[in-house]
């Protein structure tokens, strides 16, 4: 088992390069299934969620060629069957994008129900199913948690109003609609940068999608998508995580390869907390030398403050002067890391979706466990800020979404190592993302 061992309390100085966006990559890789011919995809992050998705495609018959560290050529022309390897699908949430992609290409899909759940209760996919059904799919749940989608009367465009703003449902419906007959209109669509990135990818392969980035997306189905080259956008949440790390530890770090516009919702909040943020082209310089100021925030769909940054910024607020209030507006239970922070001296009270954070003078290193991806990133930040030694296990979660996190943090002066320990305490892998 690998643990991260952090000797904290050091400010961070230097430069960090941001990788391609995980949540764009995990949509674009399944989308390659719909393309006739090779897709060369650049700026793919090297993270385990990507490896798992590529393995699923390979098992289905795709050819995947590594061009260089972050570029792959994926050719799914050889795939003949709309059926994915069920065990692998259950390990990664984003594998459900294969449903939309298979429906588009094959007009049918047999997949495993995306497994696990980290944010309290079941993570529903009713809005995905509602969209597919409006387009003519018959969706049935088979024994063993399999989902069967058939289109006895074809797959046609439809007008779909999402009851909740769902990233996953917007993406899945957009995928199926790209190759459906006629026009699909998705209303109350999610507007996250990775939705725009997926639309740009599909359009560059011959799709006709308009309005991505607004809450009404219009997709005119085409008969075929052709191969091409596409570069994934930088990861907004990875960049935000390193910005929060500097806010917590203090220091001065240049974060390179970002789209500053995507960072506005995070930068604005960090500025309120006393952090200086200077945008320059595709870089952001983050400086924190004075005290951390208290604030309140609520997570919301984009362009609101992202739920995927809630644990990291809440962790920094543990060290603010005064009391802050955080409201989780997207997930029912995204505060599992709070008990771990309490072991380090944080004072947080959670009541339902609200956390009240009373700032303390400092955190103290402790053995703690990551429960999901962003909670894991938050614990890394806590360890970097704390005095003494912090040992984090469950780091497999963190490696699902952060490329080379150890090396990137070491590069700005953090004392963090990945260390092997005997296996008996290993956390069992569950689903995230
Ligand atoms: C995506 O998850 C992201 N994952 C999550 O990031 C992120 O937290 C989330 O969007 C919100 O931004 C990927 O992109 C792979 P949703 P997704 O559908 O698509 C409810 C990370 O850390 N809902 O937008 O699963 C749902 O319960 C991960 O990188 C329904 O009710 O999220 C939630 O309350 C974790 N019915 C809200 O909508 C549905 O059919 C938003 O969920 C679908 C969702």
């Amino acid at each position: 088992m690998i643990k991260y061992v952090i000797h904290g309390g050091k400010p961070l100085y230097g430069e960090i390069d941001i990788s391609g966006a995980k949540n764009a990559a995990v949509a674009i890789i399944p989308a390659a299934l719909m393309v006739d011919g090779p897709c060369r995809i650049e700026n793919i992050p090297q993270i385990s969620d990507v490896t798992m998705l590529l393995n699923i495609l390979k098992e289905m018959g795709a050819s995947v060629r590594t061009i260089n560290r972050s570029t792959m050529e994926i050719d799914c022309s050889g795939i003949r069957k709309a059926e994915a390897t069920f065990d692998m699908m259950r390990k990664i949430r984003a594998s459900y994008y294969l449903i939309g992609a298979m429906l588009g290409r094959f007009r049918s899909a047999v997949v495993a129900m995306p497994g696990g759940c980290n944010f309290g209760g079941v993570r529903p996919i009713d809005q995905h199913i509602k969209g597919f059904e409006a387009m003519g799919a018959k969706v049935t749940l088979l024994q063993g948690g399999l989902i069967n989608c058939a289109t006895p009367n074809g797959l046609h465009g439809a007008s779909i109003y999402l009851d909740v703003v769902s990233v996953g449902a917007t993406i899945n419906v957009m995928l199926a609609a790209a190759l459906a007959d006629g026009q699909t209109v998705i209303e109350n669509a999610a507007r996250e940068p990775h939705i725009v990135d997926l639309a740009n990818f599909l359009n560059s392969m011959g799709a006709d999608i308009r309005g991505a980035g607004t809450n009404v997306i219009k997709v005119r189905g085409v008969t075929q998508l052709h191969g091409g080259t596409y570069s994934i956008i930088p990861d907004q949440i990875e960049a935000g995580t390193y910005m929060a790390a500097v806010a917590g530890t203090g220091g001065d770090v240049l974060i390179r390869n970002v789209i500053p516009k995507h960072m506005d919702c995070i930068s604005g909040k960090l500025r309120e907390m006393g952090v200086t943020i200077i945008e320059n082209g595709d870089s952001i310089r983050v400086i924190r030398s004075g005290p951390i100021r208290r604030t309140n925030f609520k997570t919301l769909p984009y362009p609101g403050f992202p739920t995927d940054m809630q644990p990291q910024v809440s962790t920094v607020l543990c060290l603010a002067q005064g009391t802050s209030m955080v409201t989780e507006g997207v997930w029912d239970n995204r505060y599992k890391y709070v008990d771990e922070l309490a072991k380090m001296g944080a004072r947080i009270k959670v009541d339902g979706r609200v956390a009240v954070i009373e700032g303390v003078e400092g955190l103290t290193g402790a053995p703690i466990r990551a429960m999901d991806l962003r909670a894991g990133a938050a614990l890394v930040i806590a360890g970097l800020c704390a005095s003494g030694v912090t040992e984090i296990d469950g780091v497999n979660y963190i490696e699902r979404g952060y490329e080379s996190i150890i090396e990137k943090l070491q590069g700005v002066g953090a004392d963090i190592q990945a260390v092997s320990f005997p296996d008996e305490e290993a956390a069992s892998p569950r689903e995230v993302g």
Side-chain angles (χ1 to χ4, degrees), residues 243-244 246-248 250-251 266-278 285-295 313 316-317 319-321:
M243 290 167 76
V246 182
I266 301 163
S267 302
K269 196 45 65 183
L270 292 177
R271 283 191 179 111
E272 275 177 45
M273 291 162 64
V275 181
T276 303
I277 291 167
I278 303 163
R285 185 168 164 205
V286 184
I287 307 162
R288 208 271 293 166
S289 48
I292 301 168
R293 293 202 290 263
R294 60 153 300 280
T295 191
V313 173
V316 178
L317 286 174
L319 294 163
Q321 292 180 331

Side-chain angles (χ1 to χ4, degrees), residues 300-431:
L300 290 167
Y302 190 82
F305 187 91
T307 173
D308 293 345
M309 280 301 300
Q310 182 266 104
Q312 302 90 313
V313 173
S314 299
T315 298
V316 178
L317 286 174
C318 290
L319 294 163
Q321 292 180 331
T323 301
S324 308
M325 195 167 85
V326 174
T327 307
E328 176 53 59
V330 177
W331 297 110
D332 283 338
N333 178 4
R334 211 170 187 182
Y335 290 119
K336 285 188 187 162
Y337 60 93
V338 160
D339 290 344
E340 303 304 295
L341 290 183
K343 295 175 189 164
M344 303 175 75
R347 287 204 202 120
I348 309 179
K349 284 202 185 96
V350 175
D351 184 5
R353 286 186 167 211
V354 176
V356 176
I357 305 172
E358 200 187 315
V360 295
E361 280 293 313
L363 298 174
T364 314
I368 48 177
R369 169 165 291 201
M371 307 284 189
D372 69 51
L373 168 62
R374 307 302 173 189
L379 297 183
V380 170
I381 293 174
L384 294 172
C385 297
S387 58
V389 184
T390 299
E391 274 183 19
I392 305 177
D393 74 14
V395 302
N396 53 314
Y397 289 119
I398 302 171
E399 293 179 356
R400 295 183 81 151
Y402 289 89
E403 176 177 323
S404 307
I405 186 169
I406 297 281
E407 292 76 10
K408 289 187 187 188
L409 285 170
Q410 286 172 343
V412 288
D415 185 343
I416 178 170
Q417 316 277 346
V419 178
S420 292
F421 281 82
D423 230 17
E424 68 273 10
E425 311 154 56
S428 59
R430 280 171 296 171
E431 168 271 343

Side-chain angles (χ1 to χ4, degrees), residues 22-24 26 49 93-94 96-97 119 122-129 164-169 171 190 192 194 237 300-302 306-308 329-332 334 353 372-374 432-433:
K22 163 191 165 266
N23 287 343
V26 300
D49 269 16
R93 177 102 190 148
Y96 62 20
Y97 293 144
F119 306 140
V122 173
R123 283 174 66 176
I125 59 163
D126 56 296
Q127 297 303 303
H128 307 229
I129 293 173
V164 290
V165 180
S166 161
V167 170
I171 287 178
E192 270 66 6
H194 40 287
I237 304 298
L300 290 167
Y302 190 82
T307 173
D308 293 345
V330 177
W331 297 110
D332 283 338
R334 211 170 187 182
R353 286 186 167 211
D372 69 51
L373 168 62
R374 307 302 173 189
V432 287

Side-chain angles (χ1 to χ4, degrees), residues 51 67 98 149 395:
T51 310
I67 307 297
L98 289 166
C149 300
V395 302

Side-chain angles (χ1 to χ4, degrees), residues 156-239:
H156 53 76
S159 220
I160 297 155
Y161 190 98
L162 298 178
D163 300 337
V164 290
V165 180
S166 161
V167 170
T170 304
I171 287 178
N172 237 338
V173 170
M174 210 159 83
L175 287 168
L179 287 174
D181 302 325
Q183 177 169 278
T184 299
V185 180
I186 310 168
E187 288 188 72
N188 201 25
R191 292 181 277 168
E192 270 66 6
H194 40 287
I195 288 176
V196 179
D197 207 35
L198 173 67
N200 288 341
F201 166 81
L202 290 168
N203 284 343
S204 73
M205 307 284 151
D208 183 354
I209 301 174
R210 290 161 204 211
T214 75
N215 57 8
V216 181
I217 300 178
K218 292 187 178 154
V219 186
R220 213 177 276 278
V222 296
T223 49
Q224 204 181 21
L225 298 177
H226 54 74
T229 299
Y230 190 79
S231 185
I232 292 176
I233 52 167
D235 196 310
Q236 175 207 30
I237 304 298
E238 189 200 13

Side-chain angles (χ1 to χ4, degrees), residues 136-156:
K138 299 264 172 277
V139 183
T140 35
L141 208 55
L142 305 176
Q143 270 198 334
L146 300 185
I147 305 170
N148 184 57
C149 300
T151 55
N153 301 311
L155 186 73
H156 53 76

